[in-house]
């Protein structure tokens, strides 16, 4: 386990604060990595959560009847053993220390699968766009690679310093109101400078709620599996709520 400390190193802390993201080359141990992969594969193969609306296509696309960007929300509800992994405690401690919070962070989680050749793009967006418009989230998103990831199979990419923006206008992917995923309006105007974060399996990239991020399609014969933890310290009330019209059913 390369990252055992409750706090990030000074350099990692500075990168997260100044750039809005930081990559850690080794975050999950071999045994834990194997355990997460086994659970991941079982949940997707057995289509766990589809009947409850917990497993669905994030981008609304299908290929010969199969989901092109399948996602499972709160997988530990179906595999409680995930909650006992050391990586959960480490991510919680890092978040608590980073925000100097007395409260134990609240955990959210999801798993995203980009199958070989058909894994769809995850468009540019801010996580904050999904959240309570009256609150500013204080959270860290831990994107854990379960496979080696690079630009060709959809590694994470970021706009450095974009977390300094407020919440930007978003819309459902493809402007389809039935799609869960969001994408930022006019991304070409916002993404002139981007940084790709390839990782070896077990590596992790952390980002803040307003950091613009993206993952390309999977154009390779390799699968791309990711386990994402969202560790949330108590949020802060905004002086003026965000007008997140994109989350309202009528879009107005």
């Amino acid at each position: 386990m390369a990252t055992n400390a409750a706090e990030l190193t000074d350099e990692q802390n500075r990168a997260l604060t100044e750039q809005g993201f930081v990559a850690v080359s080794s975050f999950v141990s071999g045994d834990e990595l194997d355990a997460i992969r086994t659970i991941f594969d079982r949940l997707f193969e057995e289509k766990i959560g589809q009947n409850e609306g917990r497993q669905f296509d994030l981008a609304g696309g299908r290929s010969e009847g199969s989901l092109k960007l399948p996602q499972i929300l709160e997988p530990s509800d179906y595999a409680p053993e995930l909650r006992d992994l050391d990586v959960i405690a480490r991510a919680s401690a890092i978040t608590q220390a980073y925000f100097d919070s007395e409260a134990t962070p609240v955990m959210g989680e999801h798993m995203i699968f980009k199958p070989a050749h058909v894994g769809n793009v995850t468009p540019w967006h801010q996580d904050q766009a999904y959240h309570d418009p009256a609150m500013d989230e204080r959270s860290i998103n831990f994107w854990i690679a379960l496979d080696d990831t690079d630009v060709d199979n959809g590694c994470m990419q970021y706009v450095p310093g974009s977390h300094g923006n407020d919440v930007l206008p978003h819309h459902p992917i493809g402007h389809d109101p039935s799609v869960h995923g969001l994408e930022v309006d006019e991304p070409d105007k916002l993404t002139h400078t981007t940084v790709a974060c390839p990782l070896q399996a077990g590596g992790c990239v952390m980002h803040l709620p307003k950091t613009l991020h993206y993952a390309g399609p999977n154009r390779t014969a390799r699968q791309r599996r990711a386990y994402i933890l969202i560790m949330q310290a108590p949020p802060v009330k905004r002086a003026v709520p965000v007008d997140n019209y994109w989350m309202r059913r009528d879009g107005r």
Side-chain angles (χ1 to χ4, degrees), residues 69-111:
L69 188 58
Q71 171 178 245
I72 298 175
L73 300 179
E74 310 303 336
S76 65
D77 286 350
Y78 304 102
E81 60 269 31
L82 286 169
R83 300 181 187 131
D84 297 328
L85 296 175
D86 289 345
V87 67
I88 305 294
R90 296 200 306 277
S92 178
I94 287 170
T95 303
Q96 191 169 12
Y98 182 80
F99 289 107
D100 193 23
S101 172
E102 294 183 1
T104 300
V106 174
M107 184 179 80
E109 47 163 354
H110 54 126
M111 291 175 165

Short mmCIF file of all heavy atoms in Angstrom, two decimals, residues 69-111:
data_model
loop_
_atom_site.label_atom_id
_atom_site.label_comp_id
_atom_site.label_asym_id
_atom_site.label_seq_id
_atom_site.Cartn_x
_atom_site.Cartn_y
_atom_site.Cartn_z
N LEU A 69 -21.80 2.38 -21.88
CA LEU A 69 -21.07 3.01 -20.76
C LEU A 69 -21.81 2.67 -19.47
O LEU A 69 -22.40 3.53 -18.82
CB LEU A 69 -20.98 4.52 -20.97
CG LEU A 69 -20.09 5.30 -20.00
CD1 LEU A 69 -18.66 4.78 -20.02
CD2 LEU A 69 -20.11 6.79 -20.32
N PRO A 70 -21.81 1.39 -19.08
CA PRO A 70 -22.58 0.98 -17.90
C PRO A 70 -21.97 1.50 -16.60
O PRO A 70 -20.75 1.57 -16.43
CB PRO A 70 -22.53 -0.55 -17.95
CG PRO A 70 -21.37 -0.88 -18.81
CD PRO A 70 -21.20 0.25 -19.77
N GLN A 71 -22.86 1.85 -15.70
CA GLN A 71 -22.49 2.37 -14.39
C GLN A 71 -23.36 1.71 -13.33
O GLN A 71 -24.55 1.45 -13.57
CB GLN A 71 -22.72 3.89 -14.34
CG GLN A 71 -22.58 4.51 -12.97
CD GLN A 71 -22.76 6.01 -12.97
OE1 GLN A 71 -21.85 6.76 -12.68
NE2 GLN A 71 -23.97 6.49 -13.29
N ILE A 72 -22.77 1.42 -12.17
CA ILE A 72 -23.51 0.93 -11.01
C ILE A 72 -23.36 1.95 -9.89
O ILE A 72 -22.23 2.30 -9.51
CB ILE A 72 -22.99 -0.44 -10.53
CG1 ILE A 72 -23.15 -1.51 -11.61
CG2 ILE A 72 -23.74 -0.87 -9.26
CD1 ILE A 72 -22.55 -2.85 -11.23
N LEU A 73 -24.48 2.41 -9.36
CA LEU A 73 -24.46 3.34 -8.24
C LEU A 73 -24.46 2.57 -6.93
O LEU A 73 -25.18 1.59 -6.77
CB LEU A 73 -25.68 4.26 -8.29
CG LEU A 73 -25.84 5.15 -9.54
CD1 LEU A 73 -27.11 5.99 -9.42
CD2 LEU A 73 -24.62 6.04 -9.72
N GLU A 74 -23.67 3.05 -5.97
CA GLU A 74 -23.59 2.48 -4.62
C GLU A 74 -23.44 0.96 -4.64
O GLU A 74 -24.26 0.21 -4.08
CB GLU A 74 -24.82 2.89 -3.78
CG GLU A 74 -25.12 4.37 -3.81
CD GLU A 74 -23.97 5.25 -3.33
OE1 GLU A 74 -23.11 4.74 -2.58
OE2 GLU A 74 -23.91 6.43 -3.74
N PRO A 75 -22.37 0.47 -5.27
CA PRO A 75 -22.19 -0.99 -5.37
C PRO A 75 -22.05 -1.70 -4.03
O PRO A 75 -22.35 -2.89 -3.94
CB PRO A 75 -20.92 -1.13 -6.21
CG PRO A 75 -20.21 0.18 -6.08
CD PRO A 75 -21.29 1.20 -5.96
N SER A 76 -21.62 -1.00 -2.98
CA SER A 76 -21.48 -1.67 -1.69
C SER A 76 -22.82 -2.05 -1.09
O SER A 76 -22.87 -2.86 -0.15
CB SER A 76 -20.68 -0.79 -0.71
OG SER A 76 -21.38 0.39 -0.40
N ASP A 77 -23.93 -1.50 -1.61
CA ASP A 77 -25.25 -1.97 -1.18
C ASP A 77 -25.47 -3.42 -1.62
O ASP A 77 -26.25 -4.14 -1.00
CB ASP A 77 -26.36 -1.09 -1.75
CG ASP A 77 -26.45 0.27 -1.07
OD1 ASP A 77 -25.78 0.46 -0.03
OD2 ASP A 77 -27.18 1.14 -1.58
N TYR A 78 -24.81 -3.82 -2.69
CA TYR A 78 -24.93 -5.18 -3.22
C TYR A 78 -23.74 -6.05 -2.83
O TYR A 78 -23.83 -7.28 -2.87
CB TYR A 78 -25.04 -5.14 -4.75
CG TYR A 78 -26.19 -4.28 -5.23
CD1 TYR A 78 -25.96 -3.00 -5.72
CD2 TYR A 78 -27.51 -4.74 -5.17
CE1 TYR A 78 -27.01 -2.19 -6.15
CE2 TYR A 78 -28.55 -3.93 -5.60
CZ TYR A 78 -28.30 -2.67 -6.09
OH TYR A 78 -29.34 -1.87 -6.50
N ALA A 79 -22.63 -5.41 -2.48
CA ALA A 79 -21.43 -6.13 -2.06
C ALA A 79 -20.90 -5.43 -0.81
O ALA A 79 -19.94 -4.64 -0.88
CB ALA A 79 -20.39 -6.14 -3.17
N PRO A 80 -21.50 -5.67 0.36
CA PRO A 80 -21.13 -4.94 1.58
C PRO A 80 -19.67 -5.10 1.98
O PRO A 80 -19.13 -4.27 2.71
CB PRO A 80 -22.05 -5.55 2.65
CG PRO A 80 -23.16 -6.18 1.91
CD PRO A 80 -22.61 -6.60 0.59
N GLU A 81 -19.01 -6.15 1.48
CA GLU A 81 -17.61 -6.37 1.82
C GLU A 81 -16.71 -5.23 1.30
O GLU A 81 -15.60 -5.04 1.80
CB GLU A 81 -17.13 -7.72 1.29
CG GLU A 81 -17.22 -7.90 -0.21
CD GLU A 81 -18.53 -8.49 -0.70
OE1 GLU A 81 -19.56 -8.25 -0.04
OE2 GLU A 81 -18.52 -9.18 -1.74
N LEU A 82 -17.19 -4.48 0.34
CA LEU A 82 -16.42 -3.33 -0.14
C LEU A 82 -16.16 -2.33 0.99
O LEU A 82 -15.10 -1.70 1.04
CB LEU A 82 -17.16 -2.62 -1.27
CG LEU A 82 -17.17 -3.30 -2.64
CD1 LEU A 82 -18.17 -2.61 -3.57
CD2 LEU A 82 -15.77 -3.26 -3.27
N ARG A 83 -17.11 -2.19 1.89
CA ARG A 83 -16.99 -1.20 2.96
C ARG A 83 -15.88 -1.52 3.94
O ARG A 83 -15.43 -0.65 4.68
CB ARG A 83 -18.32 -1.08 3.72
CG ARG A 83 -19.49 -0.65 2.84
CD ARG A 83 -20.77 -0.52 3.62
NE ARG A 83 -21.91 -0.27 2.74
CZ ARG A 83 -23.05 -0.93 2.79
NH1 ARG A 83 -23.22 -1.90 3.69
NH2 ARG A 83 -24.03 -0.65 1.94
N ASP A 84 -15.44 -2.77 3.95
CA ASP A 84 -14.40 -3.20 4.89
C ASP A 84 -12.99 -3.06 4.33
O ASP A 84 -12.01 -3.32 5.03
CB ASP A 84 -14.63 -4.66 5.30
CG ASP A 84 -15.94 -4.85 6.04
OD1 ASP A 84 -16.35 -3.92 6.76
OD2 ASP A 84 -16.57 -5.92 5.88
N LEU A 85 -12.85 -2.64 3.09
CA LEU A 85 -11.54 -2.53 2.48
C LEU A 85 -10.76 -1.36 3.06
O LEU A 85 -11.33 -0.30 3.39
CB LEU A 85 -11.67 -2.34 0.96
CG LEU A 85 -12.30 -3.51 0.19
CD1 LEU A 85 -12.47 -3.13 -1.27
CD2 LEU A 85 -11.47 -4.77 0.33
N ASP A 86 -9.46 -1.54 3.16
CA ASP A 86 -8.59 -0.48 3.70
C ASP A 86 -8.66 0.79 2.87
O ASP A 86 -8.52 1.89 3.39
CB ASP A 86 -7.14 -0.96 3.76
CG ASP A 86 -6.90 -2.00 4.85
OD1 ASP A 86 -7.78 -2.12 5.73
OD2 ASP A 86 -5.87 -2.67 4.81
N VAL A 87 -8.87 0.66 1.56
CA VAL A 87 -8.88 1.85 0.70
C VAL A 87 -10.00 2.81 1.09
O VAL A 87 -9.85 4.03 0.96
CB VAL A 87 -9.01 1.44 -0.79
CG1 VAL A 87 -10.36 0.81 -1.11
CG2 VAL A 87 -8.75 2.63 -1.69
N ILE A 88 -11.10 2.29 1.62
CA ILE A 88 -12.20 3.16 2.06
C ILE A 88 -11.75 4.01 3.24
O ILE A 88 -11.96 5.24 3.27
CB ILE A 88 -13.43 2.33 2.47
CG1 ILE A 88 -13.87 1.41 1.33
CG2 ILE A 88 -14.56 3.24 2.93
CD1 ILE A 88 -14.39 2.10 0.10
N ALA A 89 -11.10 3.38 4.20
CA ALA A 89 -10.63 4.11 5.38
C ALA A 89 -9.56 5.14 5.00
O ALA A 89 -9.53 6.25 5.54
CB ALA A 89 -10.08 3.14 6.42
N ARG A 90 -8.68 4.79 4.05
CA ARG A 90 -7.63 5.72 3.64
C ARG A 90 -8.21 6.94 2.93
O ARG A 90 -7.82 8.07 3.18
CB ARG A 90 -6.61 5.01 2.75
CG ARG A 90 -5.85 3.91 3.45
CD ARG A 90 -4.54 3.56 2.75
NE ARG A 90 -4.71 3.24 1.34
CZ ARG A 90 -5.06 2.05 0.87
NH1 ARG A 90 -5.34 1.06 1.72
NH2 ARG A 90 -5.15 1.83 -0.42
N ALA A 91 -9.16 6.69 2.03
CA ALA A 91 -9.79 7.80 1.31
C ALA A 91 -10.54 8.70 2.28
O ALA A 91 -10.51 9.94 2.15
CB ALA A 91 -10.72 7.26 0.23
N SER A 92 -11.20 8.11 3.25
CA SER A 92 -11.93 8.90 4.24
C SER A 92 -10.97 9.76 5.06
O SER A 92 -11.22 10.95 5.29
CB SER A 92 -12.71 7.96 5.17
OG SER A 92 -13.39 8.68 6.16
N ALA A 93 -9.85 9.17 5.48
CA ALA A 93 -8.88 9.92 6.29
C ALA A 93 -8.24 11.04 5.49
O ALA A 93 -8.02 12.15 6.01
CB ALA A 93 -7.82 8.96 6.82
N ILE A 94 -7.92 10.80 4.23
CA ILE A 94 -7.33 11.84 3.39
C ILE A 94 -8.30 13.01 3.25
O ILE A 94 -7.90 14.18 3.36
CB ILE A 94 -6.97 11.26 2.00
CG1 ILE A 94 -5.74 10.36 2.12
CG2 ILE A 94 -6.71 12.37 0.98
CD1 ILE A 94 -5.45 9.55 0.87
N THR A 95 -9.57 12.72 3.02
CA THR A 95 -10.57 13.78 2.86
C THR A 95 -10.75 14.57 4.15
O THR A 95 -10.81 15.81 4.13
CB THR A 95 -11.90 13.17 2.41
OG1 THR A 95 -11.70 12.43 1.20
CG2 THR A 95 -12.95 14.24 2.18
N GLN A 96 -10.84 13.87 5.26
CA GLN A 96 -11.01 14.54 6.55
C GLN A 96 -9.84 15.46 6.85
O GLN A 96 -10.02 16.60 7.29
CB GLN A 96 -11.18 13.49 7.65
CG GLN A 96 -11.63 14.06 8.99
CD GLN A 96 -12.04 12.97 9.95
OE1 GLN A 96 -11.80 11.78 9.72
NE2 GLN A 96 -12.68 13.35 11.05
N ALA A 97 -8.64 14.98 6.55
CA ALA A 97 -7.45 15.80 6.80
C ALA A 97 -7.38 16.98 5.83
O ALA A 97 -7.04 18.10 6.22
CB ALA A 97 -6.20 14.94 6.69
N TYR A 98 -7.70 16.75 4.57
CA TYR A 98 -7.59 17.81 3.56
C TYR A 98 -8.51 18.99 3.90
O TYR A 98 -8.13 20.15 3.77
CB TYR A 98 -7.92 17.26 2.18
CG TYR A 98 -7.79 18.30 1.08
CD1 TYR A 98 -6.54 18.62 0.55
CD2 TYR A 98 -8.91 18.96 0.57
CE1 TYR A 98 -6.40 19.57 -0.43
CE2 TYR A 98 -8.78 19.92 -0.41
CZ TYR A 98 -7.52 20.22 -0.91
OH TYR A 98 -7.40 21.17 -1.89
N PHE A 99 -9.73 18.69 4.34
CA PHE A 99 -10.69 19.75 4.65
C PHE A 99 -10.67 20.14 6.12
O PHE A 99 -11.47 20.98 6.55
CB PHE A 99 -12.11 19.31 4.25
CG PHE A 99 -12.32 19.25 2.76
CD1 PHE A 99 -12.40 18.03 2.11
CD2 PHE A 99 -12.41 20.40 2.01
CE1 PHE A 99 -12.58 17.96 0.73
CE2 PHE A 99 -12.59 20.35 0.64
CZ PHE A 99 -12.68 19.13 0.00
N ASP A 100 -9.73 19.54 6.89
CA ASP A 100 -9.62 19.83 8.32
C ASP A 100 -10.99 19.74 8.98
O ASP A 100 -11.44 20.63 9.70
CB ASP A 100 -9.01 21.22 8.53
CG ASP A 100 -8.58 21.46 9.97
OD1 ASP A 100 -8.35 20.45 10.69
OD2 ASP A 100 -8.50 22.62 10.38
N SER A 101 -11.66 18.63 8.70
CA SER A 101 -13.03 18.44 9.18
C SER A 101 -13.06 17.50 10.38
O SER A 101 -12.36 16.48 10.40
CB SER A 101 -13.88 17.84 8.04
OG SER A 101 -15.16 17.47 8.50
N GLU A 102 -13.87 17.83 11.36
CA GLU A 102 -14.03 16.96 12.52
C GLU A 102 -15.00 15.81 12.20
O GLU A 102 -14.96 14.77 12.86
CB GLU A 102 -14.54 17.75 13.71
CG GLU A 102 -13.55 18.80 14.23
CD GLU A 102 -14.06 19.52 15.45
OE1 GLU A 102 -15.18 19.20 15.91
OE2 GLU A 102 -13.35 20.41 15.96
N ALA A 103 -15.85 16.02 11.23
CA ALA A 103 -16.85 15.01 10.88
C ALA A 103 -16.25 13.94 9.97
O ALA A 103 -15.45 14.24 9.08
CB ALA A 103 -18.04 15.66 10.20
N THR A 104 -16.66 12.70 10.18
CA THR A 104 -16.25 11.63 9.29
C THR A 104 -16.93 11.82 7.95
O THR A 104 -18.15 12.03 7.90
CB THR A 104 -16.66 10.26 9.87
OG1 THR A 104 -16.01 10.09 11.14
CG2 THR A 104 -16.26 9.13 8.94
N PRO A 105 -16.20 11.79 6.85
CA PRO A 105 -16.82 12.01 5.54
C PRO A 105 -17.91 10.98 5.22
O PRO A 105 -17.85 9.83 5.65
CB PRO A 105 -15.65 11.88 4.56
CG PRO A 105 -14.45 12.21 5.38
CD PRO A 105 -14.73 11.67 6.75
N VAL A 106 -18.91 11.44 4.49
CA VAL A 106 -19.96 10.57 3.98
C VAL A 106 -19.48 9.99 2.66
O VAL A 106 -18.94 10.71 1.81
CB VAL A 106 -21.27 11.36 3.78
CG1 VAL A 106 -22.33 10.48 3.12
CG2 VAL A 106 -21.76 11.91 5.12
N MET A 107 -19.68 8.70 2.47
CA MET A 107 -19.18 8.05 1.26
C MET A 107 -20.28 7.86 0.21
O MET A 107 -21.37 7.40 0.51
CB MET A 107 -18.59 6.68 1.59
CG MET A 107 -17.97 5.98 0.37
SD MET A 107 -17.23 4.37 0.74
CE MET A 107 -18.68 3.31 0.76
N GLY A 108 -19.96 8.25 -1.01
CA GLY A 108 -20.72 7.85 -2.18
C GLY A 108 -19.80 7.04 -3.06
O GLY A 108 -18.58 7.09 -2.89
N GLU A 109 -20.33 6.27 -3.99
CA GLU A 109 -19.47 5.43 -4.82
C GLU A 109 -20.21 5.00 -6.07
O GLU A 109 -21.44 4.97 -6.10
CB GLU A 109 -19.00 4.19 -4.04
CG GLU A 109 -20.14 3.54 -3.32
CD GLU A 109 -19.92 2.14 -2.85
OE1 GLU A 109 -18.88 1.53 -3.14
OE2 GLU A 109 -20.84 1.63 -2.21
N HIS A 110 -19.44 4.71 -7.09
CA HIS A 110 -19.99 4.07 -8.27
C HIS A 110 -18.88 3.36 -9.02
O HIS A 110 -17.70 3.59 -8.79
CB HIS A 110 -20.75 5.06 -9.16
CG HIS A 110 -19.99 6.27 -9.59
ND1 HIS A 110 -19.86 6.64 -10.90
CD2 HIS A 110 -19.34 7.24 -8.89
CE1 HIS A 110 -19.16 7.76 -10.99
NE2 HIS A 110 -18.83 8.14 -9.78
N MET A 111 -19.30 2.47 -9.90
CA MET A 111 -18.38 1.74 -10.76
C MET A 111 -18.75 2.05 -12.20
O MET A 111 -19.94 2.05 -12.55
CB MET A 111 -18.48 0.23 -10.50
CG MET A 111 -17.94 -0.20 -9.16
SD MET A 111 -18.23 -1.98 -8.85
CE MET A 111 -17.11 -2.25 -7.46
#
